[in-house]
Amino acid sequence: MLIKIKQGWEIPESRATPESVFHNRRDLLKAMGMGSLLAVGSGAAPALAAAATADPDPSAGLYPVKRNETYTLDRPITDEKLSTTYNNFYEYSDDKDLADAAQQLKIRPWTLAIDGMVEKPMTIGIDDLLKQMPLEERLYRHRCVEAWSMAVPWSGFPLKAFVAMAKPLSGAKYLQMTTFQDPKMAPGQKSFFYPWPYIEGLTMEEATNDLAFLVTGMYGHPVPRQDGAPLRLVTPWKYGFKSIKSIVKFSFTDKRPVSFWQKLQSSEYGFWANVNPEVPHPRWSQATERVLGTGERKPTLMWNGYGEHVAHLYDGIKGERLFT
Ligand SMILES: Nc1nc2c(c(=O)[nH]1)N[C@H]1C(S)=C(S)[C@@H](COP(=O)(O)O)O[C@H]1N2
Ligand SMILES: [Mo]
């Protein structure tokens, strides 16, 4: 068998991911015959079988929901077929083409834990939560740190409505969110290379900003597994990796969370990760973005175009890496 190790300059733009350094390392391990140590990916056949048998989503009857017209786009909505087949979800693959593999994700029963600095820790089932929360649709731009973008009609509810229900104590400064961990239904988690589970965090001011949105649907349907069913975050003024998928735990804390990507590569990924076209990633520019499905490159907007809603959150913060 011929194994070709890709050189950095041979990696096409679509693979200029935050993780391309790690791809190179993986390729090297594979070439050394140590690929089994990595144990990523289940292969296409089992994934397709899982797709055929995935249970239907019991929340389907809730959608479509009424659009909140406050949030408007400067570009067409990305084709649903594209945004649901070009994904980042490392629990399933480090390639974009993971929608079939993600059908292994079992989305019921699905229980959320709320713990840490709250009046009373609790758990709540996703369907009980859906009954209580004010569902609406919002059109948001979605900008990955890899410099591609989409425009998506998400359905869900403001994170601040969830925070109000959770009743955090006044000393809570951050909200830490955690993805499920179960290598049996997420083969990517068999890789010891990544610091599972996926974790993300926001300050309480960010979490209670109007824009922060918990997503349970998209394009008028329940959110598909590959996009983070049954519940994922969307913070459109930040790079996409902040938008943690398939959340199982919300922890209120006075300690700043250290996220998955930060643990892996803190020289490139930090806590804030706000979109700024003038601050390049260490390995590429953030000045423009590839608008998926259009063949077009557009200048990237400061705060991804959401400055009127969020710029003030950062007024008092000096000397921190707000944009990486
Ligand atoms: N649990 C988890 N959440 C995640 C990721 C992931 O690998 N695992 N990838 C992040 C990244 S890098 C991006 S760009 C977005 C992608 O969301 P989408 O596939 O719905 O476009 O999800 C984010 N949330
Ligand atoms: Mo991303």
Side-chain angles (χ1 to χ4, degrees):
M1 185 174 44
L2 181 73
I3 296 165
K4 183 170 183 305
I5 301 175
K6 277 220 170 74
Q7 302 298 322
W9 60 87
E10 292 181 90
I11 295 174
E13 191 250 7
S14 63
R15 294 274 291 188
T17 67
E19 303 76 33
S20 53
V21 272
F22 309 119
H23 290 152
N24 292 346
R25 182 176 171 275
R26 279 168 43 84
D27 289 349
L28 189 68
L29 286 176
K30 275 184 192 153
M32 290 161 66
M34 296 166 74
S36 62
L37 281 181
L38 295 158
V40 168
S42 59
L48 286 170
T53 57
D55 294 332
D57 191 312
S59 68
L62 297 175
Y63 305 96
V65 291
K66 193 171 181 307
R67 183 173 296 173
N68 178 340
E69 305 285 354
T70 313
Y71 307 101
T72 54
L73 293 173
D74 56 349
R75 59 195 72 183
I77 291 174
T78 303
D79 186 51
E80 180 177 2
K81 184 90 191 73
L82 184 55
S83 53
T84 57
T85 54
Y86 186 92
N87 295 103
N88 274 334
F89 203 168
Y90 279 73
E91 285 81 345
Y92 290 98
S93 177
D94 49 13
D95 286 324
K96 300 283 182 277
D97 179 13
L98 54 79
D100 287 333
Q103 303 315 304
Q104 299 167 73
L105 172 57
K106 211 170 160 319
I107 56 170
R108 293 295 187 287
W110 192 276
T111 308
L112 304 161
I114 300 172
D115 66 12
M117 301 175 75
V118 287
E119 278 181 23
K120 204 164 140 273
M122 60 177 188
T123 59
I124 183 168
I126 184 72
D127 295 301
D128 287 338
L129 182 71
L130 283 167
K131 275 183 218 144
Q132 292 178 36
M133 290 290 129
L135 293 181
E136 59 180 55
E137 182 182 72
R138 297 185 180 186
L139 309 181
Y140 277 168
R141 288 179 290 275
H142 176 38
R143 170 63 158 81
C144 177
V145 75
E146 296 161 0
W148 52 260
S149 69
M150 303 181 189
V152 181
W154 302 111
S155 307
F157 49 88
L159 177 55
K160 75 173 182 186
F162 181 87
V163 170
M165 181 200 75
K167 299 199 176 72
L169 301 176
S170 60
K173 291 197 175 68
Y174 300 96
L175 173 56
Q176 173 171 309
M177 288 151 278
T178 308
T179 296
F180 74 89
Q181 182 159 17
D182 183 353
K184 285 200 290 302
M185 64 176 183
Q189 292 182 332
K190 289 181 186 148
S191 166
F192 299 113
F193 182 63
Y194 294 103
W196 309 112
Y198 201 98
I199 282 174
E200 262 305 341
L202 297 171
T203 64
M204 289 303 294
E205 291 72 26
E206 292 175 328
T208 53
N209 182 272
D210 280 331
L211 273 184
F213 202 51
L214 281 176
V215 161
T216 58
M218 64 196 283
Y219 297 86
H221 318 293
V223 65
R225 289 164 174 81
Q226 63 270 29
D227 285 281
L231 184 77
R232 60 92 58 91
L233 178 69
V234 170
T235 47
W237 72 100
K238 292 180 179 285
Y239 292 116
F241 66 86
K242 296 292 294 184
S243 297
I244 179 173
K245 294 180 170 181
S246 306
I247 303 169
V248 294
K249 188 160 71 164
F250 293 83
S251 307
F252 293 86
T253 165
D254 55 3
K255 288 182 197 59
R256 185 176 290 182
V258 182
S259 68
F260 178 84
W261 290 111
Q262 214 180 336
K263 274 184 203 140
L264 199 60
Q265 187 77 331
S266 65
S267 60
E268 300 192 345
Y269 307 102
F271 172 75
W272 298 99
N274 296 306
V275 175
N276 184 338
E278 284 164 21
V279 178
H281 184 278
R283 289 181 282 130
W284 60 84
S285 166
Q286 296 291 20
T288 62
E289 63 204 50
R290 196 162 52 93
V291 184
L292 292 185
T294 66
E296 198 191 349
R297 278 206 97 88
K298 259 188 186 301
T300 284
L301 304 168
M302 184 65 209
W303 311 107
N304 204 23
Y306 297 101
E308 60 171 307
H309 304 281
V310 295
H312 69 273
L313 295 174
Y314 307 98
D315 282 346
I317 303 171
K318 295 268 179 303
E320 293 212 31
R321 289 162 43 195
L322 288 174
F323 308 106
T324 53

